[in-house]
Amino acid sequence: MRIAIDFDETLTLDAGLWRGFIDACRAVGHHVVCVTARRDTDENRDTLAEWMRMHGIDLHTYFTGLGSKVEFMKAREIKVDVWIDDDPRKCALGH
């Protein structure tokens, strides 16, 4: 199963909780990624990488550039089974 976790106001709310969740998911063979609506800029890449380093989290991150997370992942033929996001509308088509 592939699980996509949002960064802002999701991962950032409780790094310890999500680190444990990610570890538990991986322990049983699931694949966890970060999908953020942020733009793919050097500054954003550095900000997320530094935050993840500080909190012991290692996730491949996709930057959707403010576009639909669902459409972004579909365009790359990456199936997401579970979305974890503080605002599900950000994942929706056309938002």
Side-chain angles (χ1 to χ4, degrees):
M1 171 173 32
R2 179 171 284 112
I3 301 163
I5 304 177
D6 174 49
F7 182 72
D8 294 293
E9 301 303 318
T10 304
L11 275 177
T12 60
L13 288 180
D14 191 335
L17 169 75
W18 293 116
R19 185 176 50 251
F21 175 81
I22 292 162
D23 291 345
C25 289
R26 288 178 173 160
V28 294
H30 300 306
H31 185 69
V32 184
V33 297
C34 178
V35 181
T36 178
R38 287 182 182 219
R39 290 183 174 92
D40 188 5
T41 65
D42 289 339
E43 181 179 356
N44 282 333
R45 283 192 303 276
D46 291 346
T47 297
L48 270 68
E50 179 60 26
W51 186 91
M52 288 189 193
R53 258 191 310 275
M54 286 179 18
H55 295 285
I57 294 174
D58 181 24
L59 291 176
H60 181 80
T61 301
Y62 297 93
F63 296 84
T64 71
L66 304 178
S68 163
K69 294 174 184 179
V70 170
E71 286 300 309
F72 181 91
M73 296 302 274
K74 279 184 180 179
R76 283 146 189 82
E77 297 182 358
I78 302 170
K79 181 182 182 291
V80 174
D81 300 294
V82 176
W83 293 93
I84 300 173
D85 200 301
D86 65 301
D87 185 355
R89 294 171 296 176
K90 294 177 186 172
C91 297
L93 302 173
H95 288 99

